[in-house]
Amino acid sequence: MAGTGPGARAEVDAVVVGAGPNGLTAAVTLARAGLAVHVYEAEATVGGGARTAELTLPGFHHDVCSAVHPLGAGSPAFRELGLEEHGLTWVEPPLPLAHPFPDGSAAVLARSAEETAASLVGGAAPGGAARDRAAYLRLVRPFLGRWWDALAPDVLRAPLAGPPRHPLLLARFGLRAAAPAALLARVFRGERARGLLAGLAAHVIAPLGSPATGGVALLFALAAHDVGWPFPRGGSQAVSDALAARLRALGGRIETGHPVASLAELPPARAYLLDVMPEDLAALAGDRLPERFAAGLRRYAHGPGVFKIDYALSGPVPWRAGECARAGTVHLGPTIGEIGAALRAVYRGEAPAVPFLIAAQPSLFDGTRAPDGRHVLWVYGHVPNGWRGDLTGAIERQIERFAPGFGERVLARAAAGPAEIESRDRNNAGGDIAAGRCDRLRLLVRPRPAIVPYATPDRSVYLCSSATPPGPGVHGMCGYHAARTALRRVFGITSGE
Ligand SMILES: Cc1cc2nc3c(=O)[nH]c(=O)nc-3n(C[C@H](O)[C@H](O)[C@H](O)COP(=O)(O)OP(=O)(O)OC[C@H]3O[C@@H](n4cnc5c(N)ncnc54)[C@H](O)[C@@H]3O)c2cc1C
């Protein structure tokens, strides 16, 4: 389309700044509509939060940011793009998630809702309650098998984006999903179910009393039952490489190692889509945006940071609970009380004494990730934004609590506090991996209350990062919706909606 019609002056039709999952999805969505698209990426490789690198020793392939992809495997945008044709293969562990307890037992989030429900009963200390089995099934059953095809398109978009496709199902989901996790947990009697639910909700890094955190837990549980929590073979870089290959096949161009400081330095284009944080949108756009709007973007609130450690191990993690050896992801923080306390601490500005940890062990199920018999482990806990301390000791004490002897298997570790997390990807401001605070409905209403949150007062400038709905995660839906908005508003293209 470049060089024709009203945009004849433009070298390209659209420019995308940032080759994260959302920037790349936006670029592919535009290119599929026949536009000439050019992407500029600051880092040397594409992918942003979906990259893989040898962070410790040669032959050990660690996910720099995202590792586990329940949202990617079922993303309506990714499904449309046929990424499997460009080398993406999902690896599915036998169990999506294990949630161990100090007595050596574990609750599990399995592909089957029944297996999950059964694991909520029994155990020693803390125990599960028999009635929680039925309570779990009552919670998820109305949505089983309906999540990705019926609910996902309505949930993974801006809240005011128009009438839902499945209003009754969405209303039913919304009644449960609007609840804070702390309230939703009251449908259970035992610590096993409450702990499992709290661990799922903690992925958004908001206090468990925050609205809609129950919905996050429900979303992750339904994703496990409907699509699993898979890893891309070879690491999360495979998602980004497949998106980049799809873009190039459509004629799009990507320039890496090119940080953009101002839109003025970019080639003329009819649309600019920015996979950046709101304050960076204000900086890049300069006086293209009214000062009041830009000032609002500069005030955008970031959430807590993370402290992450990637390990090269001489063998698998010696988990006490056998279920953990079959799980791709393991949550370490047994009870809702402990998980809630860790989240409250970071919101008070303190590092938790006992962190809640999210761990992923891809090499158990994907032999390409580490040399024969060796393994990688990816683990992070939450800390205050910009925190400068070292959480390594607390993290390793928490792992040893559930896997005695872990320390003896460590060959090398790469620890990254908030500053290092930000230096790996400038969108992770102060170590914030969720592109903004997620408490008090900020997950849904971002970057500011607006019917079309992707648009700005300048008709040619759009925000497409996870600081827009539906928020963080490798799913590309922010980029997809931003691109569709630009296609409609700038190019008059509405087909396929
Ligand atoms: C430690 C960690 C663990 C995570 N775990 C998971 C997980 O297991 N599963 C999951 O689904 N998600 C996870 N996430 C979140 C996920 O990575 C992000 O939500 C997702 O990557 C956001 O995509 P994005 O395209 O909006 O932004 P990003 O992935 O951050 O990409 C933005 C890109 O834009 C580039 N950029 C920014 N500004 C400029 C500029 N001015 N000029 C040029 N380029 C620029 C950046 O270099 C970057 O490449 C994790 C994140 C982190 C950090």
Side-chain angles (χ1 to χ4, degrees), residues 17-23 40-43 47-50 64-69 71 258-261 275-276 280 284 306 308 378 380 421 425-428 433 464-466 472-474:
V17 176
N22 282 312
Y40 293 91
E41 165 55 47
E43 300 298 322
V64 177
C65 299
S66 73
V68 190
H69 297 90
L71 300 174
H258 187 134
V260 176
D275 187 4
V276 305
D280 295 337
L284 265 68
V306 301
K308 176 171 182 271
W378 167 108
Y380 71 82
I421 295 284
D425 176 349
R426 62 188 63 203
N427 278 15
N428 298 326
I433 69 169
C464 72
S465 70
S466 52
V474 174

mmCIF file of all heavy atoms in Angstrom, residues 17-23 40-43 47-50 64-69 71 258-261 275-276 280 284 306 308 378 380 421 425-428 433 464-466 472-474, ligand 1:
data_model
loop_
_atom_site.group_PDB
_atom_site.id
_atom_site.type_symbol
_atom_site.label_atom_id
_atom_site.label_comp_id
_atom_site.label_asym_id
_atom_site.label_seq_id
_atom_site.Cartn_x
_atom_site.Cartn_y
_atom_site.Cartn_z
ATOM 1 N N VAL A 17 7.324 0.717 16.937
ATOM 2 C CA VAL A 17 8.513 0.854 17.787
ATOM 3 C C VAL A 17 8.425 -0.224 18.865
ATOM 4 O O VAL A 17 7.489 -0.232 19.668
ATOM 5 C CB VAL A 17 8.590 2.246 18.444
ATOM 6 C CG1 VAL A 17 9.785 2.320 19.387
ATOM 7 C CG2 VAL A 17 8.674 3.326 17.376
ATOM 8 N N GLY A 18 9.407 -1.147 18.850
ATOM 9 C CA GLY A 18 9.432 -2.212 19.855
ATOM 10 C C GLY A 18 8.995 -3.534 19.270
ATOM 11 O O GLY A 18 7.901 -3.653 18.726
ATOM 12 N N ALA A 19 9.885 -4.531 19.334
ATOM 13 C CA ALA A 19 9.580 -5.854 18.786
ATOM 14 C C ALA A 19 9.325 -6.859 19.896
ATOM 15 O O ALA A 19 9.842 -7.971 19.895
ATOM 16 C CB ALA A 19 10.712 -6.322 17.873
ATOM 17 N N GLY A 20 8.524 -6.451 20.905
ATOM 18 C CA GLY A 20 8.017 -7.416 21.886
ATOM 19 C C GLY A 20 6.856 -8.168 21.263
ATOM 20 O O GLY A 20 6.491 -7.905 20.102
ATOM 21 N N PRO A 21 6.260 -9.096 21.997
ATOM 22 C CA PRO A 21 5.137 -9.863 21.436
ATOM 23 C C PRO A 21 4.010 -8.964 20.937
ATOM 24 O O PRO A 21 3.388 -9.261 19.913
ATOM 25 C CB PRO A 21 4.658 -10.718 22.614
ATOM 26 C CG PRO A 21 5.769 -10.722 23.605
ATOM 27 C CD PRO A 21 6.620 -9.526 23.368
ATOM 28 N N ASN A 22 3.753 -7.854 21.635
ATOM 29 C CA ASN A 22 2.669 -6.967 21.182
ATOM 30 C C ASN A 22 3.071 -6.140 19.966
ATOM 31 O O ASN A 22 2.272 -5.968 19.043
ATOM 32 C CB ASN A 22 2.219 -6.052 22.327
ATOM 33 C CG ASN A 22 1.330 -6.805 23.306
ATOM 34 O OD1 ASN A 22 0.391 -7.498 22.898
ATOM 35 N ND2 ASN A 22 1.646 -6.707 24.590
ATOM 36 N N GLY A 23 4.304 -5.631 19.946
ATOM 37 C CA GLY A 23 4.744 -4.874 18.785
ATOM 38 C C GLY A 23 4.749 -5.752 17.537
ATOM 39 O O GLY A 23 4.285 -5.348 16.462
ATOM 40 N N TYR A 40 11.160 -0.995 14.536
ATOM 41 C CA TYR A 40 12.448 -0.610 15.131
ATOM 42 C C TYR A 40 12.526 -1.172 16.540
ATOM 43 O O TYR A 40 11.629 -0.932 17.348
ATOM 44 C CB TYR A 40 12.585 0.916 15.190
ATOM 45 C CG TYR A 40 12.687 1.519 13.825
ATOM 46 C CD1 TYR A 40 11.541 1.921 13.146
ATOM 47 C CD2 TYR A 40 13.917 1.665 13.199
ATOM 48 C CE1 TYR A 40 11.621 2.454 11.873
ATOM 49 C CE2 TYR A 40 14.016 2.193 11.927
ATOM 50 C CZ TYR A 40 12.868 2.586 11.268
ATOM 51 O OH TYR A 40 12.957 3.106 10.003
ATOM 52 N N GLU A 41 13.592 -1.905 16.835
ATOM 53 C CA GLU A 41 13.764 -2.531 18.150
ATOM 54 C C GLU A 41 15.100 -2.089 18.754
ATOM 55 O O GLU A 41 16.142 -2.146 18.097
ATOM 56 C CB GLU A 41 13.733 -4.065 17.999
ATOM 57 C CG GLU A 41 14.240 -4.844 19.193
ATOM 58 C CD GLU A 41 13.547 -4.510 20.516
ATOM 59 O OE1 GLU A 41 12.313 -4.452 20.533
ATOM 60 O OE2 GLU A 41 14.257 -4.289 21.518
ATOM 61 N N ALA A 42 15.049 -1.682 20.031
ATOM 62 C CA ALA A 42 16.251 -1.171 20.694
ATOM 63 C C ALA A 42 17.309 -2.267 20.903
ATOM 64 O O ALA A 42 18.509 -2.032 20.739
ATOM 65 C CB ALA A 42 15.871 -0.560 22.049
ATOM 66 N N GLU A 43 16.867 -3.459 21.300
ATOM 67 C CA GLU A 43 17.816 -4.520 21.651
ATOM 68 C C GLU A 43 18.368 -5.195 20.396
ATOM 69 O O GLU A 43 17.843 -5.020 19.295
ATOM 70 C CB GLU A 43 17.131 -5.570 22.542
ATOM 71 C CG GLU A 43 16.594 -5.017 23.851
ATOM 72 C CD GLU A 43 17.689 -4.431 24.742
ATOM 73 O OE1 GLU A 43 18.786 -5.010 24.781
ATOM 74 O OE2 GLU A 43 17.441 -3.394 25.375
ATOM 75 N N GLY A 47 11.940 -9.734 20.439
ATOM 76 C CA GLY A 47 11.217 -10.539 21.432
ATOM 77 C C GLY A 47 10.866 -9.831 22.721
ATOM 78 O O GLY A 47 9.926 -10.239 23.401
ATOM 79 N N GLY A 48 11.612 -8.809 23.129
ATOM 80 C CA GLY A 48 11.286 -8.124 24.386
ATOM 81 C C GLY A 48 11.173 -9.119 25.530
ATOM 82 O O GLY A 48 12.147 -9.787 25.889
ATOM 83 N N GLY A 49 9.981 -9.263 26.081
ATOM 84 C CA GLY A 49 9.748 -10.178 27.209
ATOM 85 C C GLY A 49 9.647 -11.631 26.805
ATOM 86 O O GLY A 49 9.386 -12.484 27.660
ATOM 87 N N ALA A 50 9.834 -11.960 25.536
ATOM 88 C CA ALA A 50 9.818 -13.355 25.096
ATOM 89 C C ALA A 50 11.123 -13.640 24.358
ATOM 90 O O ALA A 50 11.187 -13.672 23.125
ATOM 91 C CB ALA A 50 8.608 -13.629 24.203
ATOM 92 N N VAL A 64 14.746 -15.242 29.339
ATOM 93 C CA VAL A 64 15.161 -13.972 29.955
ATOM 94 C C VAL A 64 13.996 -13.378 30.753
ATOM 95 O O VAL A 64 14.181 -12.864 31.850
ATOM 96 C CB VAL A 64 15.621 -12.993 28.852
ATOM 97 C CG1 VAL A 64 15.984 -11.638 29.433
ATOM 98 C CG2 VAL A 64 16.804 -13.589 28.090
ATOM 99 N N CYS A 65 12.796 -13.449 30.205
ATOM 100 C CA CYS A 65 11.590 -12.964 30.912
ATOM 101 C C CYS A 65 10.573 -14.092 30.953
ATOM 102 O O CYS A 65 10.679 -14.967 31.790
ATOM 103 C CB CYS A 65 11.026 -11.724 30.221
ATOM 104 S SG CYS A 65 12.177 -10.325 30.176
ATOM 105 N N SER A 66 9.605 -14.101 30.039
ATOM 106 C CA SER A 66 8.511 -15.079 30.139
ATOM 107 C C SER A 66 8.997 -16.490 29.835
ATOM 108 O O SER A 66 9.907 -16.690 29.023
ATOM 109 C CB SER A 66 7.400 -14.708 29.167
ATOM 110 O OG SER A 66 7.805 -14.979 27.848
ATOM 111 N N ALA A 67 8.351 -17.463 30.527
ATOM 112 C CA ALA A 67 8.724 -18.860 30.335
ATOM 113 C C ALA A 67 7.514 -19.732 30.004
ATOM 114 O O ALA A 67 7.592 -20.640 29.183
ATOM 115 C CB ALA A 67 9.403 -19.392 31.598
ATOM 116 N N VAL A 68 6.390 -19.476 30.661
ATOM 117 C CA VAL A 68 5.229 -20.373 30.590
ATOM 118 C C VAL A 68 4.090 -19.620 29.900
ATOM 119 O O VAL A 68 3.851 -18.450 30.211
ATOM 120 C CB VAL A 68 4.788 -20.778 32.013
ATOM 121 C CG1 VAL A 68 3.755 -21.880 31.949
ATOM 122 C CG2 VAL A 68 5.989 -21.204 32.836
ATOM 123 N N HIS A 69 3.370 -20.293 28.987
ATOM 124 C CA HIS A 69 2.494 -19.534 28.103
ATOM 125 C C HIS A 69 1.059 -20.016 27.990
ATOM 126 O O HIS A 69 0.581 -20.323 26.895
ATOM 127 C CB HIS A 69 3.154 -19.421 26.727
ATOM 128 C CG HIS A 69 4.437 -18.654 26.791
ATOM 129 N ND1 HIS A 69 5.649 -19.264 27.017
ATOM 130 C CD2 HIS A 69 4.683 -17.330 26.750
ATOM 131 C CE1 HIS A 69 6.597 -18.332 27.076
ATOM 132 N NE2 HIS A 69 6.038 -17.155 26.935
ATOM 133 N N LEU A 71 -1.455 -18.099 28.229
ATOM 134 C CA LEU A 71 -2.183 -17.079 27.460
ATOM 135 C C LEU A 71 -1.762 -17.108 25.993
ATOM 136 O O LEU A 71 -2.569 -16.847 25.106
ATOM 137 C CB LEU A 71 -1.938 -15.688 28.057
ATOM 138 C CG LEU A 71 -2.381 -15.542 29.516
ATOM 139 C CD1 LEU A 71 -1.979 -14.185 30.073
ATOM 140 C CD2 LEU A 71 -3.884 -15.721 29.644
ATOM 141 N N HIS A 258 18.218 -0.580 17.410
ATOM 142 C CA HIS A 258 17.844 0.793 17.034
ATOM 143 C C HIS A 258 16.876 1.373 18.074
ATOM 144 O O HIS A 258 15.661 1.324 17.893
ATOM 145 C CB HIS A 258 17.198 0.794 15.647
ATOM 146 C CG HIS A 258 16.947 2.169 15.108
ATOM 147 N ND1 HIS A 258 17.250 2.547 13.825
ATOM 148 C CD2 HIS A 258 16.433 3.290 15.692
ATOM 149 C CE1 HIS A 258 16.925 3.812 13.631
ATOM 150 N NE2 HIS A 258 16.420 4.279 14.766
ATOM 151 N N PRO A 259 17.401 1.914 19.182
ATOM 152 C CA PRO A 259 16.498 2.570 20.137
ATOM 153 C C PRO A 259 15.932 3.854 19.541
ATOM 154 O O PRO A 259 16.674 4.593 18.880
ATOM 155 C CB PRO A 259 17.413 2.884 21.342
ATOM 156 C CG PRO A 259 18.802 2.753 20.849
ATOM 157 C CD PRO A 259 18.804 1.934 19.591
ATOM 158 N N VAL A 260 14.653 4.082 19.741
ATOM 159 C CA VAL A 260 14.015 5.269 19.172
ATOM 160 C C VAL A 260 13.785 6.274 20.305
ATOM 161 O O VAL A 260 13.179 5.945 21.325
ATOM 162 C CB VAL A 260 12.668 4.888 18.508
ATOM 163 C CG1 VAL A 260 11.954 6.137 17.997
ATOM 164 C CG2 VAL A 260 12.900 3.900 17.378
ATOM 165 N N ALA A 261 14.285 7.491 20.127
ATOM 166 C CA ALA A 261 14.132 8.519 21.167
ATOM 167 C C ALA A 261 12.999 9.483 20.837
ATOM 168 O O ALA A 261 12.453 10.135 21.724
ATOM 169 C CB ALA A 261 15.443 9.287 21.346
ATOM 170 N N ASP A 275 5.198 0.037 21.135
ATOM 171 C CA ASP A 275 5.214 -1.037 22.133
ATOM 172 C C ASP A 275 6.099 -0.564 23.294
ATOM 173 O O ASP A 275 7.174 -1.122 23.534
ATOM 174 C CB ASP A 275 5.764 -2.315 21.469
ATOM 175 C CG ASP A 275 5.658 -3.539 22.365
ATOM 176 O OD1 ASP A 275 5.097 -3.415 23.470
ATOM 177 O OD2 ASP A 275 6.155 -4.616 21.963
ATOM 178 N N VAL A 276 5.664 0.493 23.938
ATOM 179 C CA VAL A 276 6.484 1.143 24.969
ATOM 180 C C VAL A 276 5.612 1.431 26.187
ATOM 181 O O VAL A 276 4.396 1.249 26.144
ATOM 182 C CB VAL A 276 7.100 2.466 24.451
ATOM 183 C CG1 VAL A 276 7.883 2.243 23.164
ATOM 184 C CG2 VAL A 276 6.022 3.529 24.237
ATOM 185 N N ASP A 280 7.025 6.655 28.167
ATOM 186 C CA ASP A 280 7.893 6.706 26.977
ATOM 187 C C ASP A 280 7.105 7.148 25.738
ATOM 188 O O ASP A 280 7.658 7.788 24.841
ATOM 189 C CB ASP A 280 8.557 5.348 26.746
ATOM 190 C CG ASP A 280 9.517 4.992 27.871
ATOM 191 O OD1 ASP A 280 9.985 5.922 28.563
ATOM 192 O OD2 ASP A 280 9.770 3.801 28.109
ATOM 193 N N LEU A 284 8.438 10.027 23.395
ATOM 194 C CA LEU A 284 8.664 9.812 21.961
ATOM 195 C C LEU A 284 7.793 10.738 21.103
ATOM 196 O O LEU A 284 8.229 11.238 20.071
ATOM 197 C CB LEU A 284 8.375 8.355 21.578
ATOM 198 C CG LEU A 284 9.582 7.417 21.549
ATOM 199 C CD1 LEU A 284 10.142 7.169 22.923
ATOM 200 C CD2 LEU A 284 9.198 6.094 20.888
ATOM 201 N N VAL A 306 10.382 -7.526 40.328
ATOM 202 C CA VAL A 306 10.672 -8.925 40.657
ATOM 203 C C VAL A 306 12.178 -9.092 40.832
ATOM 204 O O VAL A 306 12.970 -8.309 40.308
ATOM 205 C CB VAL A 306 10.169 -9.926 39.580
ATOM 206 C CG1 VAL A 306 8.671 -9.808 39.367
ATOM 207 C CG2 VAL A 306 10.922 -9.798 38.277
ATOM 208 N N LYS A 308 14.721 -12.156 40.060
ATOM 209 C CA LYS A 308 14.670 -13.420 39.310
ATOM 210 C C LYS A 308 16.029 -14.106 39.374
ATOM 211 O O LYS A 308 17.069 -13.447 39.318
ATOM 212 C CB LYS A 308 14.321 -13.112 37.860
ATOM 213 C CG LYS A 308 14.319 -14.293 36.904
ATOM 214 C CD LYS A 308 13.731 -13.841 35.570
ATOM 215 C CE LYS A 308 13.636 -14.972 34.563
ATOM 216 N NZ LYS A 308 14.856 -15.116 33.761
ATOM 217 N N TRP A 378 14.018 -21.640 36.330
ATOM 218 C CA TRP A 378 13.661 -20.211 36.224
ATOM 219 C C TRP A 378 12.796 -19.909 37.430
ATOM 220 O O TRP A 378 11.832 -20.639 37.680
ATOM 221 C CB TRP A 378 12.939 -20.090 34.920
ATOM 222 C CG TRP A 378 12.148 -18.896 34.493
ATOM 223 C CD1 TRP A 378 12.508 -17.999 33.538
ATOM 224 C CD2 TRP A 378 10.818 -18.523 34.885
ATOM 225 N NE1 TRP A 378 11.494 -17.089 33.320
ATOM 226 C CE2 TRP A 378 10.461 -17.391 34.134
ATOM 227 C CE3 TRP A 378 9.893 -19.040 35.791
ATOM 228 C CZ2 TRP A 378 9.223 -16.752 34.267
ATOM 229 C CZ3 TRP A 378 8.675 -18.410 35.934
ATOM 230 C CH2 TRP A 378 8.351 -17.267 35.175
ATOM 231 N N TYR A 380 11.248 -16.636 40.175
ATOM 232 C CA TYR A 380 11.259 -15.238 40.636
ATOM 233 C C TYR A 380 10.297 -15.049 41.802
ATOM 234 O O TYR A 380 9.347 -15.800 41.991
ATOM 235 C CB TYR A 380 10.969 -14.236 39.510
ATOM 236 C CG TYR A 380 9.547 -14.209 38.982
ATOM 237 C CD1 TYR A 380 8.538 -13.494 39.632
ATOM 238 C CD2 TYR A 380 9.214 -14.860 37.807
ATOM 239 C CE1 TYR A 380 7.244 -13.439 39.121
ATOM 240 C CE2 TYR A 380 7.929 -14.815 37.297
ATOM 241 C CZ TYR A 380 6.948 -14.103 37.958
ATOM 242 O OH TYR A 380 5.668 -14.055 37.453
ATOM 243 N N ILE A 421 16.574 -6.391 35.609
ATOM 244 C CA ILE A 421 15.365 -6.748 34.842
ATOM 245 C C ILE A 421 15.022 -5.609 33.872
ATOM 246 O O ILE A 421 14.664 -5.844 32.713
ATOM 247 C CB ILE A 421 14.176 -7.006 35.819
ATOM 248 C CG1 ILE A 421 14.453 -8.227 36.710
ATOM 249 C CG2 ILE A 421 12.847 -7.137 35.077
ATOM 250 C CD1 ILE A 421 14.300 -9.563 36.048
ATOM 251 N N ASP A 425 15.125 -5.198 29.397
ATOM 252 C CA ASP A 425 13.988 -4.746 28.582
ATOM 253 C C ASP A 425 13.473 -3.465 29.218
ATOM 254 O O ASP A 425 12.917 -3.499 30.322
ATOM 255 C CB ASP A 425 12.905 -5.836 28.556
ATOM 256 C CG ASP A 425 11.641 -5.418 27.809
ATOM 257 O OD1 ASP A 425 11.501 -4.223 27.475
ATOM 258 O OD2 ASP A 425 10.790 -6.297 27.563
ATOM 259 N N ARG A 426 13.666 -2.334 28.527
ATOM 260 C CA ARG A 426 13.332 -1.031 29.130
ATOM 261 C C ARG A 426 11.870 -0.890 29.498
ATOM 262 O O ARG A 426 11.501 0.021 30.239
ATOM 263 C CB ARG A 426 13.769 0.090 28.182
ATOM 264 C CG ARG A 426 13.055 0.039 26.841
ATOM 265 C CD ARG A 426 13.641 1.032 25.859
ATOM 266 N NE ARG A 426 15.031 0.719 25.572
ATOM 267 C CZ ARG A 426 15.914 1.606 25.123
ATOM 268 N NH1 ARG A 426 15.562 2.848 24.912
ATOM 269 N NH2 ARG A 426 17.136 1.242 24.867
ATOM 270 N N ASN A 427 10.988 -1.772 28.974
ATOM 271 C CA ASN A 427 9.576 -1.694 29.358
ATOM 272 C C ASN A 427 9.336 -2.177 30.788
ATOM 273 O O ASN A 427 8.267 -1.943 31.344
ATOM 274 C CB ASN A 427 8.713 -2.532 28.396
ATOM 275 C CG ASN A 427 8.393 -1.758 27.123
ATOM 276 O OD1 ASN A 427 9.021 -0.749 26.841
ATOM 277 N ND2 ASN A 427 7.418 -2.232 26.363
ATOM 278 N N ASN A 428 10.305 -2.864 31.391
ATOM 279 C CA ASN A 428 10.129 -3.371 32.761
ATOM 280 C C ASN A 428 10.633 -2.321 33.762
ATOM 281 O O ASN A 428 11.597 -2.541 34.497
ATOM 282 C CB ASN A 428 10.913 -4.678 32.950
ATOM 283 C CG ASN A 428 10.426 -5.780 32.033
ATOM 284 O OD1 ASN A 428 9.236 -5.856 31.731
ATOM 285 N ND2 ASN A 428 11.344 -6.621 31.575
ATOM 286 N N ILE A 433 7.155 -6.170 35.885
ATOM 287 C CA ILE A 433 6.989 -7.048 34.720
ATOM 288 C C ILE A 433 5.556 -7.038 34.201
ATOM 289 O O ILE A 433 5.235 -7.718 33.231
ATOM 290 C CB ILE A 433 7.423 -8.502 35.033
ATOM 291 C CG1 ILE A 433 6.462 -9.177 36.015
ATOM 292 C CG2 ILE A 433 8.852 -8.529 35.559
ATOM 293 C CD1 ILE A 433 6.700 -10.672 36.148
ATOM 294 N N CYS A 464 0.570 0.254 21.877
ATOM 295 C CA CYS A 464 0.208 -1.151 21.623
ATOM 296 C C CYS A 464 0.862 -2.097 22.613
ATOM 297 O O CYS A 464 0.851 -3.309 22.416
ATOM 298 C CB CYS A 464 0.549 -1.545 20.187
ATOM 299 S SG CYS A 464 2.311 -1.721 19.846
ATOM 300 N N SER A 465 1.453 -1.573 23.702
ATOM 301 C CA SER A 465 2.148 -2.453 24.655
ATOM 302 C C SER A 465 1.166 -3.011 25.678
ATOM 303 O O SER A 465 -0.023 -2.685 25.675
ATOM 304 C CB SER A 465 3.229 -1.659 25.383
ATOM 305 O OG SER A 465 2.608 -0.729 26.262
ATOM 306 N N SER A 466 1.710 -3.815 26.606
ATOM 307 C CA SER A 466 0.853 -4.411 27.630
ATOM 308 C C SER A 466 0.440 -3.408 28.704
ATOM 309 O O SER A 466 -0.205 -3.788 29.675
ATOM 310 C CB SER A 466 1.541 -5.631 28.249
ATOM 311 O OG SER A 466 2.827 -5.299 28.680
ATOM 312 N N PRO A 472 -0.635 -7.593 30.879
ATOM 313 C CA PRO A 472 0.600 -8.366 30.693
ATOM 314 C C PRO A 472 0.377 -9.802 30.236
ATOM 315 O O PRO A 472 -0.707 -10.356 30.369
ATOM 316 C CB PRO A 472 1.236 -8.340 32.089
ATOM 317 C CG PRO A 472 0.122 -8.023 33.025
ATOM 318 C CD PRO A 472 -0.852 -7.190 32.261
ATOM 319 N N GLY A 473 1.472 -10.389 29.734
ATOM 320 C CA GLY A 473 1.438 -11.766 29.255
ATOM 321 C C GLY A 473 1.819 -11.797 27.788
ATOM 322 O O GLY A 473 1.665 -10.798 27.068
ATOM 323 N N VAL A 474 2.348 -12.942 27.383
ATOM 324 C CA VAL A 474 2.732 -13.113 25.979
ATOM 325 C C VAL A 474 1.519 -13.674 25.244
ATOM 326 O O VAL A 474 1.302 -14.886 25.209
ATOM 327 C CB VAL A 474 3.959 -14.048 25.883
ATOM 328 C CG1 VAL A 474 4.285 -14.362 24.434
ATOM 329 C CG2 VAL A 474 5.155 -13.383 26.553
HETATM 330 C C1 LIG B 1 10.817 -11.946 34.581
HETATM 331 C C2 LIG B 1 9.545 -11.993 33.756
HETATM 332 C C3 LIG B 1 8.784 -13.144 33.754
HETATM 333 C C4 LIG B 1 7.618 -13.205 32.984
HETATM 334 N N1 LIG B 1 6.927 -14.388 32.904
HETATM 335 C C5 LIG B 1 5.914 -14.510 32.028
HETATM 336 C C6 LIG B 1 5.371 -15.785 31.733
HETATM 337 O O1 LIG B 1 5.854 -16.811 32.220
HETATM 338 N N2 LIG B 1 4.340 -15.850 30.857
HETATM 339 C C7 LIG B 1 3.833 -14.726 30.229
HETATM 340 O O2 LIG B 1 2.889 -14.849 29.426
HETATM 341 N N3 LIG B 1 4.361 -13.511 30.463
HETATM 342 C C8 LIG B 1 5.390 -13.380 31.338
HETATM 343 N N4 LIG B 1 5.996 -12.165 31.529
HETATM 344 C C9 LIG B 1 5.369 -10.955 30.950
HETATM 345 C C10 LIG B 1 5.633 -10.809 29.469
HETATM 346 O O3 LIG B 1 7.001 -10.981 29.187
HETATM 347 C C11 LIG B 1 5.174 -9.413 29.040
HETATM 348 O O4 LIG B 1 3.864 -9.165 29.504
HETATM 349 C C12 LIG B 1 5.200 -9.279 27.527
HETATM 350 O O5 LIG B 1 6.487 -9.524 27.024
HETATM 351 C C13 LIG B 1 4.748 -7.881 27.134
HETATM 352 O O6 LIG B 1 4.880 -7.745 25.752
HETATM 353 P P1 LIG B 1 5.056 -6.303 25.083
HETATM 354 O O7 LIG B 1 5.230 -6.544 23.637
HETATM 355 O O8 LIG B 1 3.946 -5.436 25.544
HETATM 356 O O9 LIG B 1 6.372 -5.672 25.737
HETATM 357 P P2 LIG B 1 7.851 -6.231 25.804
HETATM 358 O O10 LIG B 1 7.862 -7.697 25.695
HETATM 359 O O11 LIG B 1 8.445 -5.611 27.004
HETATM 360 O O12 LIG B 1 8.549 -5.668 24.499
HETATM 361 C C14 LIG B 1 8.780 -4.300 24.302
HETATM 362 C C15 LIG B 1 9.906 -4.175 23.294
HETATM 363 O O13 LIG B 1 9.981 -2.823 22.882
HETATM 364 C C16 LIG B 1 11.339 -2.427 22.865
HETATM 365 N N5 LIG B 1 11.361 -0.969 23.074
HETATM 366 C C17 LIG B 1 10.829 -0.277 24.095
HETATM 367 N N6 LIG B 1 11.047 1.027 23.959
HETATM 368 C C18 LIG B 1 11.742 1.170 22.794
HETATM 369 C C19 LIG B 1 12.264 2.296 22.097
HETATM 370 N N7 LIG B 1 12.126 3.531 22.559
HETATM 371 N N8 LIG B 1 12.931 2.081 20.923
HETATM 372 C C20 LIG B 1 13.053 0.835 20.417
HETATM 373 N N9 LIG B 1 12.585 -0.269 21.048
HETATM 374 C C21 LIG B 1 11.927 -0.098 22.218
HETATM 375 C C22 LIG B 1 11.970 -3.194 23.998
HETATM 376 O O14 LIG B 1 13.372 -3.308 23.824
HETATM 377 C C23 LIG B 1 11.261 -4.526 23.876
HETATM 378 O O15 LIG B 1 11.917 -5.396 22.985
HETATM 379 C C24 LIG B 1 7.180 -12.076 32.249
HETATM 380 C C25 LIG B 1 7.963 -10.913 32.246
HETATM 381 C C26 LIG B 1 9.159 -10.880 32.957
HETATM 382 C C27 LIG B 1 10.043 -9.670 32.864
#
